[in-house]
Amino acid sequence: MTAGSPVLTLRNVGAFYWRRTGYLKKNRFWALRDISFELHQGESLGVIGRNGAGKSTLLQLLAGVLRPDQGSLINHGAHVALLSLQIGFVPYLSGRQNAILSGLLLGMSRQEIEKKLNEIRDFSELGDFFDQPINVYSSGMKARLGFSVAFQLNPDVLLIDEVLGVGDAAFKEKSGQMMREKIRSEKTIVLVSHSPGTIRQLCDRAVWIDNGTTRAEGNTVEVLERYSEFIKNKEKPG
Amino acid sequence: MLAKNHLQLITYKAYADLRSEAAKTIMGFLWWILDPLLFMGIFYIIFGLLMKRDTKDFIPFLLIGLVTWRWFQNTVSHSANSILGGRGLMHQVYVPKIVFPLVIIITDLVKFTCVFSVLLLYLWLSGFALNPAYLSLPLVLMVQLVLIVGLTLLVAALVPFLPDLKFLADHILHMLFYMSGIFFAGSSIPERYQAYFYLNPMANLIEIYRNILMHGAWPNWRALALIAGLGGVLTLLSSRLIAWNDPIYPKWIPQ
């Protein structure tokens, strides 16, 4: 794929969840109503919105976990993965075994994962702990392992939710820095946040969603300006 | 069809779950044998000693029924919540939902293999020798597996939409436990009820196992073919049902 060509195209996408509201009763809850934007090869796209705007649902749609119920989402052939920590970790298994399991869940083959195990161990800085059961890990160590797996498996499009950097302070800095590098590199990234600062710092373009609807798309500075204005007006009493 | 990566995922996840389960206890893998032995020990004490019946060879008769029944009951019961139990995963990565019950089918198959080996050992030691009818044993085991897969997938497919079904399924299994001829032979019930008794596939299978293992008799081929057909149809329909609902499960199951 060449830089700039579309990777994902969303046109008037909507998605709902079923909510059980009583005995044999169910309701549709529309988490997304009308989302349109395009993700291009090599760009870092920031998605900004308030809590409950539909950001998590949008990530699930992009990751292929949910399918749109209206509109269309076209994937132009990319492997999209959510950078989440500790996907499918099983207690009492070693870090290595959990890395393999996570990798398989992220859609890699066993052979591909085996090739990357050394990099995953080095990046996670777990040392000898890599071959010990993860129930002896601190929560920071688990996060490091999960982050390293998702990071080293290198999908075409990386979806990142909010928090940059995980684990203890030193690893936080390292992972944050690695992610910034990745975001600034040729990598295609979607970064979801409710903080304009992170997005201004890292993203080429931005999309603002509110109440499940695209409110603005385009240049980061312009979109963030409109978002800030909207927030300011909301906060004003009356 | 499942891709190669998904097959690797299923087998590795089954391996991981088994390892993890074994590591939780001090005796680990031994529990796969000990647990059913203790379970069977209870029935041995009650029915073999306290309520001793005049039936010849009642203990092997009872154990064959219990071991093969437990495989059936455990798998169906364990997998009822399997798709629901995958909620943490299915909201983070795309996983074909059929993976969840298939993992349970494999882990329970591995455990059954251990127990069944012990059962065979016990039978050989107590004088029920290998015989030509053993040649049909792999086929009978396959037929039971197909039946288990069919029912397991059906229950797993429906429980996310009808969670109450899980309770119902457990009670139906409990009822079948007493109606599958584990404690009595089909020939011992009144003749006019026998036709109904043999409508239950597990009752037929248990009798077939006993005939092979204890009497060296060949299976009832017609019953075997019918059960295989039933299992096959159920497997086909249920896996279609799960595939068809694949994008709908994450919408139904709260995170």
Side-chain angles (χ1 to χ4, degrees):
Chain A
M1 253 180 261
T2 51
S5 63
V7 183
L8 295 169
T9 309
L10 288 85
R11 275 193 214 112
N12 309 105
V13 166
F16 63 79
Y17 288 100
W18 286 109
R19 292 260 168 94
R20 198 169 272 126
T21 51
Y23 184 67
L24 291 180
K25 263 199 218 149
K26 53 187 185 165
N27 254 340
R28 285 173 183 200
F29 168 73
W30 286 89
L32 294 179
R33 296 160 199 279
D34 185 6
I35 300 286
S36 303
F37 64 83
E38 199 153 67
L39 180 69
H40 302 116
Q41 177 69 23
E43 79 173 343
S44 311
L45 181 74
V47 176
I48 194 147
R50 296 179 296 163
N51 284 329
K55 300 191 296 286
S56 312
T57 310
L58 179 59
L59 279 188
Q60 293 185 348
L61 271 173
L62 298 181
V65 167
L66 286 181
R67 286 192 206 163
D69 297 297
Q70 63 179 37
S72 68
L73 191 166
I74 302 159
N75 183 332
H76 303 268
H79 175 213
V80 185
L82 190 68
L83 177 61
S84 64
L85 312 168
Q86 315 180 27
I87 278 190
F89 277 10
V90 174
Y92 302 99
L93 287 192
S94 71
R96 181 184 299 274
Q97 290 163 327
N98 272 301
I100 296 173
L101 190 57
S102 275
L104 288 168
L105 281 165
L106 287 167
M108 313 297 280
S109 75
R110 182 83 192 265
Q111 294 73 17
E112 289 170 287
I113 302 162
E114 298 277 355
K115 272 185 234 151
K116 303 225 166 159
L117 276 176
N118 284 334
E119 290 165 48
I120 292 171
R121 186 187 54 203
D122 294 344
F123 187 78
S124 65
E125 298 177 351
L126 285 167
D128 293 339
F129 276 103
F130 192 59
D131 285 301
Q132 292 198 14
I134 60 162
N135 38 307
V136 306
Y137 287 21
S138 66
S139 56
M141 288 163 80
K142 274 187 219 165
R144 265 149 60 185
L145 178 64
F147 180 85
S148 308
V149 174
F151 201 78
Q152 294 295 337
L153 291 182
N154 217 5
D156 304 324
V157 178
L158 198 56
L159 309 175
I160 304 171
D161 197 349
E162 206 90 82
V163 200
L164 283 187
V166 287
D168 46 55
F171 190 79
K172 208 172 226 153
E173 197 165 303
K174 174 180 171 179
S175 57
Q177 191 196 331
M178 289 301 285
M179 252 163 40
R180 285 183 175 85
E181 260 172 45
K182 194 146 242 188
I183 291 172
R184 292 203 181 103
S185 73
E186 289 306 289
K187 201 81 204 156
T188 316
I189 302 256
V190 178
L191 173 68
V192 162
S193 177
H194 60 231
S195 129
T198 326
I199 290 185
R200 183 173 300 124
Q201 202 183 351
L202 296 168
C203 299
D204 318 324
R205 269 182 349 113
V207 172
W208 162 32
I209 64 173
D210 196 60
N211 202 14
T213 310
T214 321
R215 298 290 295 265
E217 180 198 358
N219 176 287
T220 307
V221 179
E222 283 164 26
V223 171
L224 289 180
E225 225 162 68
R226 290 186 56 187
Y227 173 72
S228 304
E229 217 164 273
F230 169 78
I231 294 290
K232 241 184 260 162
N233 288 338
K234 278 268 163 189
E235 280 168 357
K236 259 186 220 157
Chain B
M1 254 332 269
L2 287 165
K4 182 182 124 222
N5 288 8
H6 291 132
L7 294 177
Q8 286 182 335
L9 170 63
I10 293 166
T11 47
Y12 200 80
K13 173 77 173 137
Y15 162 80
D17 285 350
L18 287 168
R19 281 288 296 258
S20 171
E21 194 188 312
K24 264 177 214 157
T25 53
I26 295 166
M27 291 198 282
F29 296 107
L30 271 180
W31 272 115
W32 301 352
I33 309 265
L34 276 176
D35 178 54
L37 279 184
L38 289 174
F39 174 81
M40 289 187 277
I42 296 168
F43 287 92
Y44 172 74
I45 292 168
I46 297 172
F47 291 101
L49 301 176
L50 301 179
M51 299 172 62
K52 195 160 171 35
R53 307 176 79 173
D54 291 331
T55 325
K56 194 171 156 278
D57 297 323
F58 187 65
I59 299 304
F61 175 93
L62 180 69
L63 293 186
I64 292 170
L66 279 175
V67 166
T68 51
W69 167 264
R70 284 257 297 181
W71 177 29
F72 175 81
Q73 179 181 13
N74 280 349
T75 316
V76 176
S77 165
H78 290 160
S79 64
N81 277 333
S82 59
I83 294 183
L84 274 179
R87 62 164 69 88
L89 280 177
M90 75 171 77
H91 287 284
Q92 291 188 72
V93 284
Y94 173 73
V95 185
K97 309 310 173 279
I98 201 167
V99 164
F100 300 112
L102 287 180
V103 167
I104 305 241
I105 288 170
I106 293 181
T107 53
D108 277 331
L109 176 64
V110 171
K111 290 183 200 168
F112 166 73
T113 309
C114 299
V115 182
F116 194 68
S117 314
V118 175
L119 175 72
L120 290 182
L121 210 65
Y122 163 80
L123 289 172
W124 296 335
L125 290 176
S126 42
F128 298 96
L130 270 171
N131 62 66
Y134 264 75
L135 286 173
S136 63
L137 193 56
L139 181 71
V140 179
L141 289 165
M142 274 302 294
V143 171
Q144 187 178 349
L145 179 63
V146 172
L147 176 73
I148 288 175
V149 171
L151 262 177
T152 294
L153 292 184
L154 181 68
V155 174
L158 297 178
V159 165
F161 302 118
L162 298 162
D164 314 53
L165 193 66
K166 159 80 177 140
F167 293 99
L168 200 63
D170 280 339
H171 283 291
I172 294 173
L173 282 171
H174 200 177
M175 189 179 72
L176 284 178
F177 173 62
Y178 291 106
M179 288 173 37
S180 297
I182 296 166
F183 307 101
F184 53 87
S187 56
S188 70
I189 57 174
E191 210 159 307
R192 59 196 161 120
Y193 295 126
Q194 282 192 6
Y196 298 107
F197 175 78
Y198 285 110
L199 284 178
N200 172 359
M202 276 312 291
N204 287 280
L205 282 171
I206 288 173
E207 196 168 287
I208 289 171
Y209 281 117
R210 281 178 185 142
N211 282 336
I212 296 171
L213 300 173
M214 295 172 70
H215 312 302
W218 292 94
N220 175 347
W221 299 110
R222 191 173 153 268
L224 214 52
L226 282 172
I227 297 168
L230 173 73
V233 169
L234 273 179
T235 303
L236 224 71
L237 286 179
S238 310
S239 53
R240 288 301 309 150
L241 190 63
I242 295 179
W244 189 55
N245 282 314
D246 197 83
I248 299 171
Y249 288 118
K251 289 178 179 297
W252 264 98
I253 301 172
Q255 238 166 317

